[in-house]
Amino acid sequence: MSKQLGFLHNSEKCVGCRGCEIACKNEYQIEATPQWRKVFQLHEDDFSLPTRMFFSMACNHCAHPECLRVCPVKAYTKREDGIVIHDPNRCIGCRLCTMACPYDRPQINPAKKKVEKCNLCYQRIDQGEKPACVTACIPGALELVEINDSLDQKTGILKTLPGLPSPKITSPSIRFIGPKQGKQIRRD
Amino acid sequence: MTFFEDCPPQVLKTHGELLLALSHLFAQGGENLSQTLSPLVKSCSAIAEHYNTSRLLQANQILAQYSETNDGEYLVMCYEFNRLFVGPNAPVAPPYESVYLSSDHLVMGEQTLAVRKFYQRENLQTIGQRHEPDDFISTELEFVAYLLSRIIETQAAKNSAKIQLYKTLYQEFWQQHLGLWLKTFAHTVSQSAKHPLFSALSEILVALSTLNAPLNTKEAPYETYAPQISRRSSSRCCL
Amino acid sequence: MKLTRRKFLGGAAAVAASSMTLFNFNLLTNSPSASAADQPSEAIKTFRNVCPRNCYDTCGMITYVEDGVLKKVEGDPKHGYTNGKLCLKGYSYPRRVYSPDRIKYPMKQSPRGSGNWTRISWDEAMDTIAKKILDLKKRYGSTLPICLDKYSGNFGIVHYGIEGTMSSIGYTTRAVGTPCWPAGIDAQTYDFGTLYSNDPEDMVNAKYIILWGQNAAWTAIHSLPFINEARERGAKLVVIDPILTSTASKADLYIQINPSTDGALALGMARYIIDNNWVDWEYARANSLGFDEWVEYVKKSITLDWASEKTGVPKDIIMEIAREYATAKPASMWVGYGMQRHTNGGQNVRIIDALGVMTGNVGKSGGGVNYGHLETWGFNYNAMVNAPPKGSKGFIGPDGKEGDRAINMNNFAHDVSAQSDPPVKMLWLACRNPGAQDPDTNAIEKMFSSMEFVVTVDSFFNKTVEMSDIVLPATTHFEDWDVMASYWHYWVGINQRAIDPLYECKSDVEIAIELSEKMNALEPGSCTFPTSGTPEEWLAKEFNPGIHQMLGINDYKELIDGPRKAKMPPASWSDGNFRTPSKKIEIHSELAEKNGLPALPIWVDEMKTPEKYPIRFMTPHPQYALHSQFQNLDWMMTTNPEPKVEIHPNLAAKYGITEGTMVKIYNDLGSITVKAHLTRTTSTNVIVAYEAWYKNSNFNVNYTLKAIPSDMGKQATGNDGLAFHDNFVMIEKA
C-alpha cells in the first residue's frame, strides 16, 4: 500500500449540523435506515461543562480492517490508497463484518439484505474530487487527509475521542481535533 | 413455461380482460368503483372458474357483493380506496412499483425508468409522461394486457416469430416488474384494509401474481407455488 | 409548458398506430420517437434552483435531472454566501419531491375532518370554489367573508400570486402580519427607519461578535464560515442565549441569560461603557437624535447591580463584555429572532440598537446591529397586483378608505371568529399551516370547525389539510419558475423549472389562472386575474430596471448563469442616510411614542412568571425541520424519529422525571405529552421542545401557547408579533 487516505474530523468546528450525513445520502440516495456516515453527539457528562459537541464518522478505512478479515466471501478489498471497498455483488449479507467492526459502520440494508458502507467516494477521488461529505461540510470540520506520521506529530491531532473504541484494534484512518470549550456563565 | 402455454385463445382473452379490469379499477379511482367493479367481477369469475380455485372464487364473491351495493357503501369504499392508494394522507399502499422495489422507496425511481424503457420497446409511452410515474399499477397492467392481446392476435395470424416475441416480452415484464412487487403491494393492502372489498382485491392481486409466475408444470395449480413466490418477494421490503 | 389543464387519463383512447393493434389504450400512447428503447439516456441536465423556505440562508442550488427525473441536488458554487453547500434539509429535497406521501390531486373531504376524501378534477375543484365564492359574495354583498392566510411556506416572489388571487376576486379579509420577527423589525424601524443589516459575509471583518439569541448552527449555518474566519483572525465570539445551543457550545463565552432580559444586559453594558467613556460621542451625536437624553436615563436609572440581578449575569462578566464590545472596533452584533419573541422583545432590540450606536458600530464594516433586511426585494410583485372587479365592496378602514379587511395573523383564530360584519365564512390557506404553527391550537381547531368552507394548497397532509374541505396539490420549487431573495444575505437567484410538475400539482399562479377562468365563466367580470402567460413569463414580469441595476444584469435570463449579489456596500447605513422621519438614528423616537411605546430605549419589564405555571416552555426552531416542513420526510424521521422536551436534571428530579419519561406539559389552554431528555443545556426553570410536524404524529408545541402579543410589529408589519417564548406551563409525569 502506497499511502493511507482517511478523515480528519475537527470537533472544535463541527456543530453537528448533519450536512455530511445527508449529503452522503443525497450522493448515493441510499434508503432511510443505512447511515454510511453518522453524526454522533458526545456525552454531555464527558466534559467539565455541559455542551453540545459532535463528531462525524463513516467507515474509517482502517489500516487493519476487521471487516476485511472476517468476511467469508472476500467482499472487502483494500486499495493502494488505503480505501476499504465493499463489493455488494460478493456480499451475502452474513453480517459478520457488522459485528466485527468496532465502529459499527458497515450497515445492513434491510431491503437488500446486504451490507453497505462508505467507500470514501473512491470514484470521486479517482476523478480528483473530494468525497461528498467533505465537500458538503459547511464549517470545514471534515477533511480528507493522508494518514501518516507527519500528521500524527502535529499538535492537537488525536487518534481517538472519549467513548470511542481503542484505535489499537483496527488502526482506524481517522484523526480528530478535539472539542474546545469556551467559558460559560450559567444559571444552575 | 407460463400459464398461457397451450392456453386456448378464449382463456387468454379473459386473462387480458382481468388485467384491463384491474387497470381500470386503479386508474378510475375510488370514485368510479360502481363502474369498474362489475367488469372485474366478470373477468375474475371466468378465470376463477377456469382454474377452479376456491380462494379466487371466494374473493370474487366479495367483489360481486360490493359491485351491486348502494351509493352509501360505494362512498365508504371510495374513501378507503383513497386512504389506501391516493391520499391526501400519506397513502398506505402507494400504487407505484419503485416505492416497493427501489432502495429509496420513492416514486420516479430506477424501476420507473426501466418500465419507461420497456414501454418504448413497443413504441409506447404513458400519456402522463413525466407527470405520472410510468410504473403506476394501472399502466403496468394495461401494458401486460396489451402484450397479451398481441399474443392472441399473432396466434390468430399464426405468426410464430411474433408469437414468441410477445410471449417473451410478456414474461420478461412480469419477471422484471409486476411479478416483483404486486404481491408486496397486495400484502400491504391486506395488512391495513379496513373494508372487505380491499382484502378481496388484495387476494385477486396475489392470485394474478401467482398465476403469472413461471411454472414448472402447466398442470400444477398456481396455489402450490405461492409459498415459493412469496419467499422470493419477501426479500423485498414491505412498507 | 402551456398553462393548460393536463389530462391524466387521456380522454379519447389512443390507438398505437405503428403496431396496428386494435387494443384500446387508456394510459399508454404511441411514442413519438421510433425505436426509442435503443436510445441512450438523455445526458444529465443541470438547473439552477433556490431554496424558497423561510430561512436566513436562501441557498443557491444546482439540480441534476436525468430523463426528466431529479437525481440529486447540490449547493451552487457560484453563490458567494452559501458557497456550494446545502444544509441537511436542502440535501433531503429529492425525498420531498418524490415522496409517495405527496398530495397528488385535488381532493374533497366530506364532512371536514372526517378523513373521508374523494378525488376531484381540477375543474370540479375550481367549480366548487368559484361557486362558493360567488355564493358568499351574493349572500353578503362582498367577498369579505373570504379570508386569506398566506405566509412563508414558499417565499418565492411569484408566490405573491396567492395574494393576487384574492385581490382579483374583490376585497377580502386578510391575515396580516408576521409571526416571526415583527417586534425586531419595528425596533429597527423606529431606530433606523427600517431593518437593514450588514452583508453577513462582512462578518469576517469583525473583531468581536455577539450572537444575541441566534443559533446559526441550526438556522443559518452558512454564516458560520464567515464567523469562523473572523475568529481565525482573532475575533472573540460571545453567544447570549437562555439555551446552550450548538452555536453557543462553540462560543468563547456563553452567557445563559434570564429569558426576556436582554435589554437589561445591554443597558448594564451601556452604563459601564458610559462610566468608562468608551462612548463614540462623535458618531452618536452626529448621527442620532436623543442620544444624550438616553445617556442621562442610563446614568440615572441603570446600575450594574440591577442589570446583574435582572439578567442573572455576574457583574464582572457584564463589565468584561461591555469593555470588549466597546473597544474592539469594529464589533458585530447579530440579533436573533428568538430574543424578540417576548412581551418586551422589540424594546430589548431597541436597547441593543442603542448599544451599537453608542459604540459607533453602526454603519461600519465588521460592525452593525444585524437583524435582517429587505433591500433586495424590490420586485414588481406583478402577480400580486390585481384591481378588484368592478363594483367590489370593501371594508371601510379607520382611515375611511375602502379595501381589504385586515385581521391579525398572530391572533388568527380569535380574529377570524370575531368578525361579524360580515363574518368570515371561508378560508384560503397557502404557504401556511396554522394547524401546526399558530398559537392556541385548540382555538384554531374550533375556529376551523366554524367555517363554511376551507381551501388549502399544500404538498403534504398536515394538520391544516386535515381541517380542510378541499386540498389543492402544490408544486415544489423544482416544478416552478421563480426568483428568490434573502432577508439575510445580499444574493438573488433564479429558480428554474427543473422537472415537470408531478401528478396534477400546480403552482399558485396556475391555480389563480384556473380560478379566474372558472369564475369568469360562471359570472363574467367576477375575477380580474389574467388567464394567460407561461410560468416563465410570469417570472419575467417580476423584474424591473431597479432590480436589473442592483444585480448588474440586463435581463432575468442572465441569472440562469448564476445568482447575483446586489451591488450594495458591505456595511448597512454606511452612507449615514437613515430612513427615519428625521433622517437620523432616532434614539428618541416620536413615532414609537405616538404608537404608545417608550420614546427611548429604556427598560420595560419582562412578563412575570405566573405562580400556577412557574416553568417557561421555549419552543425554538428545530434542526431537522423548517417549521412544519421537512421533519415528515423519511430521512428525518429515521435520524430524529420523535420529539423530546429538554429538561434540566434538577428540575426533572423535582417531578420524578428521568431520561425517557413521558412528560405532560400543560397550562389553562391545553397540554402536550412528550418524552423527556435530561440535559444541562437548558436552565432549571426553562424547558425546551423544538417546534415541528412529525409524520403521523399529533405533536404540536402550540397547544399551550397563548396568543400574547409582543410589544411591537404594528408599525411596519401591520400587527404586533407573538410572544412565543413567554409560554408558561406546569409539568408532570404522564
Side-chain angles (χ1 to χ4, degrees), chain A residues 84-130:
Chain A
V84 177
I85 306 271
H86 172 263
D87 180 359
N89 295 323
R90 282 174 168 263
C91 179
I92 52 167
C94 73
R95 301 183 192 217
L96 276 178
C97 55
T98 65
M99 289 179 260
C101 174
Y103 303 96
D104 194 25
R105 293 334 295 150
Q107 299 273 296
I108 191 82
N109 181 326
K112 295 180 177 156
K113 291 206 183 318
K114 284 188 179 191
V115 162
E116 40 187 61
K117 73 165 195 81
C118 155
N119 289 319
L120 225 164
C121 288
Y122 69 90
Q123 308 95 323
R124 289 172 64 109
I125 286 180
D126 290 346
Q127 285 171 27
E129 289 175 55
K130 286 178 182 170

Side-chain angles (χ1 to χ4, degrees), chain C residues 65-87:
Chain C
V65 176
E66 188 180 15
D67 292 321
V69 178
L70 190 165
K71 287 293 181 185
K72 70 168 180 178
V73 290
E74 278 186 354
D76 186 345
K78 287 194 180 171
H79 195 293
Y81 169 79
T82 57
N83 249 320
K85 295 162 200 273
L86 302 174
C87 75

Side-chain angles (χ1 to χ4, degrees), chain C residues 570-599:
Chain C
S572 57
W573 307 122
S574 51
D575 58 3
N577 293 329
F578 296 95
R579 297 182 208 162
T580 53
S582 66
K583 311 282 180 221
K584 292 196 177 241
I585 300 166
E586 297 192 349
I587 300 289
H588 180 115
S589 166
E590 281 178 16
L591 192 56
E593 197 167 26
K594 203 186 92 192
N595 290 345
L597 297 159

Side-chain angles (χ1 to χ4, degrees), chain A residues 51-182:
Chain A
T51 191
R52 297 183 199 234
M53 291 291 181
F54 307 87
F55 70 93
S56 165
M57 189 178 273
C59 169
N60 290 322
H61 302 279
C62 303
H64 308 296
E66 276 292 287
C67 51
L68 186 146
R69 191 178 67 80
V70 301
C71 180
V73 292
K74 294 191 163 50
Y76 287 92
T77 48
K78 196 162 170 68
R79 301 206 320 176
E80 273 297 292
D81 55 7
I83 300 178
V84 177
I85 306 271
H86 172 263
D87 180 359
N89 295 323
R90 282 174 168 263
C91 179
I92 52 167
C94 73
R95 301 183 192 217
L96 276 178
C97 55
T98 65
M99 289 179 260
C101 174
Y103 303 96
D104 194 25
R105 293 334 295 150
Q107 299 273 296
I108 191 82
N109 181 326
K112 295 180 177 156
K113 291 206 183 318
K114 284 188 179 191
V115 162
E116 40 187 61
K117 73 165 195 81
C118 155
N119 289 319
L120 225 164
C121 288
Y122 69 90
Q123 308 95 323
R124 289 172 64 109
I125 286 180
D126 290 346
Q127 285 171 27
E129 289 175 55
K130 286 178 182 170
C133 52
V134 171
T135 307
C137 181
I138 294 169
L142 196 60
E143 284 178 72
L144 175 71
V145 291
E146 230 182 275
I147 306 288
N148 52 32
D149 288 347
S150 76
L151 176 70
D152 283 335
Q153 280 152 14
K154 282 186 189 157
T155 47
I157 299 290
L158 307 174
K159 286 192 173 173
T160 188
L161 286 177
L164 285 181
S166 164
K168 284 183 183 147
I169 310 170
T170 61
S171 306
S173 304
I174 185 168
R175 297 295 181 267
F176 301 95
I177 295 173
K180 204 167 77 179
Q181 283 203 295

Side-chain angles (χ1 to χ4, degrees), chain C residues 150-163:
Chain C
K150 179 253 182 177
Y151 190 48
S152 69
N154 184 320
F155 261 152
I157 302 299
V158 182
H159 276 75
Y160 286 87
I162 297 163
E163 284 89 336

Side-chain angles (χ1 to χ4, degrees), chain C residues 187-188 191 212 260-270 294 297-298 302 306 325 333 335 339 344-358 369 587 598 600-605 711-712:
Chain C
Q188 296 223 314
D191 292 332
W212 213 310
S260 202
T261 66
D262 307 85
L265 179 58
L267 284 168
M269 289 167 71
W294 179 66
Y297 157 78
V298 174
I302 304 298
W306 171 83
Y325 174 71
M333 288 198 288
V335 178
M339 68 141 285
N344 62 350
Q347 190 66 12
N348 285 341
V349 176
R350 286 203 67 201
I351 297 167
I352 292 170
D353 285 348
L355 191 62
V357 174
M358 81 184 299
V369 185
I587 300 289
L600 287 175
I602 58 171
W603 173 247
V604 170
D605 260 328
D711 52 347
M712 296 182 194

Side-chain angles (χ1 to χ4, degrees), chain B residues 90-228:
Chain B
V92 176
Y96 309 99
E97 178 182 330
S98 69
V99 173
Y100 300 87
L101 298 189
S102 79
S103 55
D104 287 342
H105 300 301
L106 301 178
V107 301
M108 292 288 188
E110 60 198 280
Q111 290 76 13
T112 318
L113 294 178
V115 164
R116 184 183 296 173
K117 284 228 146 84
F118 215 115
Y119 299 159
Q120 282 169 354
R121 284 162 70 174
E122 277 298 289
N123 289 329
L124 292 170
Q125 66 175 37
T126 62
I127 286 168
Q129 176 99 297
R130 297 195 174 193
H131 296 280
E132 200 70 35
D134 308 61
D135 55 357
F136 175 44
I137 189 168
S138 293
T139 318
E140 291 200 357
L141 288 167
E142 181 173 305
F143 183 64
V144 284
Y146 156 76
L147 292 176
L148 208 52
S149 79
R150 300 295 302 195
I151 294 173
I152 300 168
E153 282 170 33
T154 51
Q155 276 177 344
K158 297 198 168 39
N159 184 340
S160 54
K162 287 267 177 175
I163 297 168
Q164 201 45 51
L165 168 75
Y166 284 110
K167 281 187 176 177
T168 310
L169 280 177
Y170 185 91
Q171 277 170 302
E172 269 183 38
F173 194 80
W174 269 100
Q175 283 166 18
Q176 293 169 16
H177 297 289
L178 269 174
L180 293 181
W181 73 283
L182 211 50
K183 276 203 172 176
T184 317
F185 172 72
H187 181 69
T188 313
V189 174
S190 71
Q191 288 285 296
S192 47
K194 292 179 183 166
H195 190 284
L197 177 82
F198 295 95
S199 312
L201 184 64
S202 163
E203 277 288 327
I204 288 162
L205 292 174
V206 171
L208 184 70
S209 184
T210 311
L211 197 58
N212 279 282
L215 300 186
N216 293 326
T217 60
K218 58 187 168 188
E219 290 84 16
Y222 67 84
E223 275 166 323
T224 316
Y225 293 89
Q228 187 189 333

